[in-house]
Amino acid sequence: MSKKKTTGTKKITESVEGKDVSTNTVETIQPSTVNTDQPKSEPPKIAKSEAPVKPAKASKDEPAPQTESLPQPRRSVAFIGSECYPFVKTGGLGDVMYALPKALTKQNCDVKVILPRYKCIPWEYQEKMVYRGSFEMDLCADGATYYVGIMEYVWDGVVYDFIDNEFFFTAGNPYTNLVDDIPKFCYFGKAALAALNYMDWIPDVIHCHDWQTGLVPIYLREMFGATPLSRSKVILTIHNLRFQGKYDIQMISYWSNLPMHLFNKDVLKESYDDANMMKGGLTYANMITTVSGTYAGEIQSPEYGENLDAHLRYHSGKLRGIVNGIDYDMWDSSKDDLINTKYAIDTVLKKKRKNKLSLQEELGLEKNEDVFVIGLISRLTNQKGLDLVNAILPAMIDGNTQVVVLGTGDPWYEDSFRNYEWQYKGSVCANIMYDEGRAHRIYAGADALLVPSKFEPCGLTQLIAMHYGTIPIVRETGGLKDTVLPYNMYTNDGNGFTFDRYEDGLLLDAVNRAKTLYFTERDRWDDMVVRDMHKDVSWENSARQYRQMYVDLTC
Ligand code: ADP
Ligand code: GLC
């Protein structure tokens, strides 16, 4: 394997997906001079893959799909992204990369998911991966080549191909800092395409996710034009426009080996000396999608556009929003082994109380089924409206209310929630950790869930909450606006409590409206619990829309 070569000097201040990173790392980078060969086009020379392997605990003996009863025509899709549950997940992108392919297989799509083979993927999955082949790939401007291994895993009708390279994927977390992440994802995007060619698996559509795959549409047209893959259409989905993969032009041009003329303001150039991987991908993609209709509109405005609003307005003809869903097998309160008492729609009112009591016991809160328990499950970053929560937390604690926070992220928020736990012992619990099981128990045991985000492309926590009969209290932005219908006291309709402007007083007002209903009109509250559990927040409808888009693009 080639040694790491870098070019230029840079101070990093940008945030990366999954974690707000603000480091002062300075990396010195030397241009290298080896050879300038174009990337090899790899021969389709794989051995037949071995029998599909299923993970022991998640496997199901489902019959093969009856394709004649499925929507026609069939389409093949390669998903390319940086994380995917259960292998590696830092947020909602991981959920979507797992659940949407699975939902698409039920819509007559043949889906392969291409992911990095991070070291941190649990051994229970690593050990079941099957070697599909390997090759050397040219990458950098100096022609340095890198190893690309392909490890395969098949589960629930979806094929997962992991790109293996120990040099790029050794860190414990998928995202560390941009000085490492930019080379890693320049490599990953190109290796994903080269792997498809190598496996001779030419999909109708290549579906890329977020900035980490921003170079894929460009590589596809600029470097794979003479390969069979050039037939594929390409879609780029924006899960979070805040993260764009911006770094200096010298560094990105070195690692991508893309021609300098692409570093212009319509494609990859961001500013005088910075390039932007997301921006270039948006230009080259056949379609751009994002994860809710409202966010698709918001990102074309300066307030939400993260400096790409003009670019997105220019490309708005190929931009659309499709709201996320949740996976009903993963989130099923009637079969959830991670919660204390399983429940369904007809038992929720009785059994949710048991879950509340056991949650209080687990967290060391005062055990009382009559108090109002508010949950918050979130990355602790400034996107999530935590300034508002911090501002009103003392006003929420009134002897009848408990607040349970689960999250990690910005140390300032972590400390402030720890401080509130100390100040309001027995009423506030700050779980500064990432814990899937605890998340399930909070969804099951809390009465309401706060999602007061400053911006929220879609948001999954409010969907999971509704599905578990927990009432969301949300700000009307992005997918929160599209999925939570405000409670209407006159018609006794709606799914939750909402507020519009980003102001702490308005959040407090929404919380107080929720409490008033809970404490004074419990029948109406209970109606809403049942209504929310009935609400369709599955992937089915959205998967159908994605499928239709694939068909429209390729017929
Ligand atoms: P984002 O992707 O912006 O973080 P989403 O609402 O789309 O927000 O998705 C968050 C996902 O991560 C949900 O599945 C949520 O349950 C999960 N999650 C967030 N924080 C934690 C945590 N500390 N422990 C367990 N799960 C978490
Ligand atoms: C991003 C967004 C979140 C969305 C998720 C999955 O992380 O912040 O709103 O639900 O991606 O699309």
Side-chain angles (χ1 to χ4, degrees):
M1 178 170 334
S2 314
K3 277 197 94 125
K4 182 172 182 179
K5 300 180 185 73
T6 43
T7 175
T9 300
K10 184 88 187 179
K11 184 174 177 184
I12 309 159
T13 49
E14 191 182 322
S15 297
V16 292
E17 172 72 294
K19 210 176 183 183
D20 272 6
V21 174
S22 179
T23 66
N24 287 321
T25 315
V26 175
E27 179 108 354
T28 309
I29 309 179
Q30 299 301 324
S32 59
T33 47
V34 185
N35 67 66
T36 51
D37 291 347
Q38 285 303 301
K40 292 173 206 149
S41 57
E42 301 297 335
K45 54 180 177 197
I46 29 157
K48 275 264 158 283
S49 91
E50 281 114 287
V53 180
K54 290 187 173 193
K57 73 172 177 140
S59 69
K60 283 193 199 142
D61 289 318
E62 282 175 340
Q66 303 290 308
T67 45
E68 60 281 5
S69 63
L70 294 173
Q72 301 295 332
R74 190 164 169 79
R75 285 290 178 264
S76 54
V77 191
F79 267 55
I80 307 181
S82 59
E83 58 181 271
C84 177
Y85 175 88
F87 312 108
V88 57
K89 166 180 159 184
T90 70
L93 173 63
D95 290 296
V96 175
M97 289 290 291
Y98 162 72
L100 178 55
K102 203 177 139 203
L104 284 168
T105 62
K106 297 184 184 130
Q107 298 294 327
N108 205 11
C109 291
D110 184 9
V111 193
K112 240 185 211 303
V113 181
I114 318 270
L115 299 163
R117 187 192 181 188
Y118 301 110
K119 261 257 164 66
C120 62
I121 294 173
W123 180 242
E124 62 177 303
Y125 304 113
Q126 300 260 13
E127 68 175 352
K128 295 192 182 94
M129 293 177 185
V130 175
Y131 174 75
R132 291 257 356 223
S134 61
F135 53 90
E136 286 286 314
M137 177 185 78
D138 288 354
L139 182 68
C140 307
D142 57 15
T145 64
Y146 284 83
Y147 172 84
V148 180
I150 307 169
M151 302 296 291
E152 194 162 281
Y153 185 96
V154 184
W155 179 25
D156 263 355
V158 179
V159 178
Y160 298 88
D161 281 310
F162 292 87
I163 302 296
D164 188 22
N165 180 301
E166 289 210 348
F167 174 65
F168 289 109
F169 302 134
T170 42
N173 191 304
Y175 318 114
T176 44
N177 56 61
L178 280 178
V179 89
D180 291 325
D181 289 351
I182 294 280
K184 184 194 305 182
F185 292 114
C186 286
Y187 162 84
F188 173 63
K190 191 168 178 188
L193 292 176
L196 288 171
N197 258 341
Y198 178 85
M199 293 186 283
D200 200 20
W201 200 81
I202 309 303
D204 298 310
V205 175
I206 296 172
H207 192 158
C208 309
H209 298 265
D210 269 351
W211 77 263
Q212 296 88 352
T213 57
L215 293 187
V216 171
I218 312 180
Y219 284 141
L220 180 67
R221 301 293 171 230
E222 296 290 334
M223 291 181 161
F224 289 77
T227 74
L229 260 195
S230 60
R231 294 202 299 270
S232 305
K233 298 287 192 230
V234 63
I235 297 173
L236 178 56
T237 292
I238 303 168
H239 292 264
N240 193 333
L241 193 61
R242 168 134 315 165
F243 308 105
Q244 299 177 5
K246 288 187 243 180
Y247 213 79
D248 71 38
I249 291 175
Q250 242 192 323
M251 161 111 146
I252 294 185
S253 73
Y254 169 77
W255 279 99
S256 66
N257 194 23
L258 285 165
M260 272 323 284
H261 68 83
L262 295 182
F263 290 83
N264 70 65
K265 70 171 181 40
D266 294 326
V267 187
L268 280 163
K269 188 166 174 161
E270 159 82 18
S271 59
Y272 175 70
D273 54 1
D274 275 344
N276 182 328
M277 289 169 57
M278 172 79 101
K279 182 178 180 185
L282 297 174
T283 306
Y284 267 61
N286 296 103
M287 279 293 288
I288 303 167
T289 72
T290 187
V291 287
S292 67
T294 294
Y295 194 60
E298 286 174 340
I299 54 180
Q300 297 178 54
S301 71
E303 187 183 352
Y304 293 92
E306 307 283 350
N307 288 325
L308 281 185
D309 48 299
H311 193 65
L312 285 160
R313 285 196 299 278
Y314 183 79
H315 288 287
S316 59
K318 61 176 183 181
L319 166 66
R320 61 179 291 199
I322 301 178
V323 78
N324 289 333
I326 57 168
D327 184 86
Y328 274 20
D329 295 329
M330 188 171 150
W331 298 106
D332 180 353
S333 57
S334 70
K335 295 193 185 128
D336 193 335
D337 289 330
L338 297 169
I339 65 177
N340 181 274
T341 309
K342 300 182 176 74
Y343 59 94
I345 297 182
D346 54 342
T347 52
V348 57
L349 299 176
K350 210 160 71 205
K351 300 214 170 147
K352 216 169 188 314
R353 289 190 199 154
K354 293 195 172 170
N355 284 300
K356 185 195 279 191
L357 288 171
S358 64
L359 179 70
Q360 289 167 330
E361 183 165 355
E362 174 180 346
L363 303 183
L365 293 169
E366 184 205 337
K367 264 181 93 174
N368 179 352
E369 65 174 51
D370 293 325
V371 301
F372 186 64
V373 176
I374 304 178
L376 187 144
I377 301 174
S378 180
R379 287 185 290 117
L380 302 181
T381 72
N382 115 315
Q383 169 190 344
K384 299 292 181 178
L386 304 170
D387 301 324
L388 304 188
V389 180
N390 263 292
I392 68 159
L393 207 137
M396 283 199 278
I397 303 303
D398 53 8
N400 296 310
T401 308
Q402 295 176 346
V403 175
V404 174
V405 176
L406 174 65
T408 57
D410 186 329
W412 193 88
Y413 294 123
E414 292 185 348
D415 288 345
S416 71
F417 286 121
R418 282 193 189 104
N419 181 46
Y420 278 131
E421 173 180 282
W422 171 80
Q423 228 177 308
Y424 301 102
K425 259 249 142 333
S427 295
V428 175
C429 181
N431 302 271
I432 306 304
M433 60 180 77
Y434 188 94
D435 186 331
E436 289 278 345
R438 190 155 290 183
H440 281 241
R441 290 187 288 282
I442 296 172
Y443 288 122
D447 295 296
L449 191 93
L450 277 190
V451 200
S453 308
K454 191 175 262 176
F455 70 94
E456 196 60 75
C458 178
L460 300 177
T461 60
Q462 84 281 9
L463 302 181
I464 302 167
M466 288 190 281
H467 198 53
Y468 272 53
T470 303
I471 305 300
I473 301 175
V474 308
R475 179 162 171 257
E476 291 166 17
T477 183
L480 300 172
K481 184 170 183 182
D482 294 353
T483 57
V484 181
L485 188 70
Y487 174 67
N488 182 325
M489 63 193 285
Y490 301 106
T491 57
N492 193 28
D493 199 7
N495 314 110
F497 294 86
T498 72
F499 65 103
D500 53 10
R501 291 186 312 280
Y502 191 75
E503 288 173 20
D504 50 19
L506 296 185
L507 171 60
L508 184 59
D509 178 57
V511 170
N512 285 339
R513 278 183 279 129
K515 281 194 204 174
T516 304
L517 193 74
Y518 180 84
F519 286 115
T520 63
E521 293 186 273
R522 187 64 64 87
D523 291 353
R524 288 179 158 230
W525 178 273
D526 291 347
D527 287 348
M528 186 151 43
V529 168
V530 171
R531 199 159 52 238
D532 281 6
M533 285 190 78
H534 272 295
K535 187 178 162 74
D536 183 1
V537 290
S538 74
W539 267 108
E540 197 179 327
N541 186 30
S542 302
R544 221 179 275 132
Q545 293 180 52
Y546 276 111
R547 196 199 104 81
Q548 193 54 51
M549 183 173 60
Y550 301 152
V551 172
D552 293 346
L553 258 183
T554 53
C555 58

